[in-house]
Amino acid sequence: MANPTVKVGNTVLGSGRPKIAVPITGKTEEDILTQAADIKAAQPDVVEWRIDFFEGVLDASALAQTGKKLHDAIGDLALLTTFRTNGEGGELVLDDAGYFQVCENVIAGQFTDALDVERYHEESAVKGIIEKAHAQKVVIIMSNHDFDKTPAEDDIVGRLTSMVEYGADVAKMAVMPNSVQDVINLLEATHRASLSLSKPIITMSMGDLGKVSRMAGEVFGSSLSFGTVGAASAPGQVALDHLKVELEDLKLS
């Protein structure tokens, strides 16, 4: 059976090497466009704009204006736009109404190829934003992050499965290991979910213990890894130039 794939911009998730995303964490438009130039030169597959770092994130027109400039600056690289809430490791405290308003503003701004939507918000609001995104041909990467621990293997598979059931195009889970066994559990869950689900998945075990999971995606079934050009946006991210070599070394012929 062929692996499920999803196209984000010009990038196909779910086939061949895991693709590489690099975060942009600038606070001002100038910072964002400077980071974008450095990242474009390094040639990842996806640029993730972490708009929870952007000082203009709550201003819909500023968001759209900067988003369009960023989209132009990165050329043919795919753009994933993410507002990470504070409870899942993000920079800004925002209530659910504020969070979904920002998501709507991203979709209305028509600058992004994909939008990250966190799974654990009110169900009807999550499903509503998915409908709005899909109407504008925006891909939904649904996510859940646990910065304290690694849930049980069955729980990880269950969360990824529920994301696909909600209508996500890609299901993403990032967890913090407190032991080697936690990393093994995440990799086992990734393998199971990749075999059972009809959409590509993205998983990672964070921190130093989990670095192996960022490099072994092709073996276990994770379709995207996050590297860095400059600042990291999560613990354990590996420099892009190293990650490219490591993914190639671990490729399946």
Side-chain angles (χ1 to χ4, degrees), residues 20-252:
I20 302 175
V22 172
I24 283 185
T25 55
K27 288 184 166 50
T28 66
E29 181 177 284
E30 186 182 7
D31 292 343
I32 287 160
L33 296 177
T34 300
Q35 284 184 20
D38 292 342
I39 288 169
K40 187 184 182 192
Q43 285 296 296
D45 303 290
V46 178
V47 174
E48 181 186 36
W49 184 21
R50 280 285 302 272
I51 57 174
D52 48 302
F53 284 85
F54 175 44
E55 61 187 21
V57 65
L58 299 181
D59 178 339
S61 61
L63 184 67
Q65 179 184 330
T66 302
K68 285 174 176 159
K69 288 181 182 176
L70 173 58
H71 190 274
D72 291 344
I74 62 174
D76 57 1
L77 301 181
L79 181 61
L80 162 64
T81 302
T82 300
F83 186 99
R84 182 68 59 237
T85 60
N86 188 253
E88 295 213 12
E91 289 297 296
L92 193 63
V93 177
L94 211 56
D95 64 15
D96 266 22
Y99 171 72
F100 285 106
Q101 184 61 58
V102 168
C103 290
E104 286 191 26
N105 292 345
V106 170
I107 295 165
Q110 297 188 316
F111 58 80
T112 197
D113 299 302
L115 174 67
D116 178 294
V117 175
E118 293 173 350
R119 161 70 176 79
Y120 290 100
H121 294 276
E122 202 269 319
E123 180 175 349
S124 63
V126 172
K127 289 182 172 175
I129 208 72
I130 292 171
E131 280 183 26
K132 287 175 180 171
H134 285 164
Q136 297 296 328
K137 305 288 192 287
V138 173
V139 170
I140 291 290
I141 298 181
M142 195 171 288
S143 66
N144 177 228
H145 299 72
D146 192 326
F147 280 83
D148 298 318
K149 64 187 184 304
T150 299
E153 185 186 315
D154 286 349
D155 189 5
I156 295 171
V157 174
R159 293 185 197 194
L160 291 166
T161 301
S162 78
M163 294 174 194
V164 174
E165 289 171 346
Y166 266 40
D169 300 298
V170 182
K172 178 190 175 193
M173 187 95 201
V175 299
M176 186 64 76
N178 294 303
S179 67
V180 172
Q181 188 60 52
D182 281 346
V183 181
I184 294 169
N185 291 349
L186 180 276
L187 292 172
E188 181 68 45
T190 302
H191 179 56
R192 281 175 51 194
S194 71
L195 293 175
S196 66
L197 296 180
S198 61
K199 300 291 184 182
I201 63 170
I202 300 167
T203 65
M204 65 219 65
S205 183
M206 294 185 282
D208 286 343
L209 261 181
K211 278 180 181 173
V212 62
S213 71
R214 295 181 181 276
M215 301 165 195
E218 189 171 356
V219 175
F220 293 95
S222 177
S223 64
L224 184 74
S225 192
F226 287 78
T228 60
V229 175
S233 64
Q237 286 178 354
V238 178
L240 173 68
D241 53 352
H242 293 203
L243 190 56
K244 279 184 176 179
V245 174
E246 285 147 358
L247 290 174
E248 188 64 24
D249 283 345
L250 290 173
K251 74 178 180 183
L252 303 177

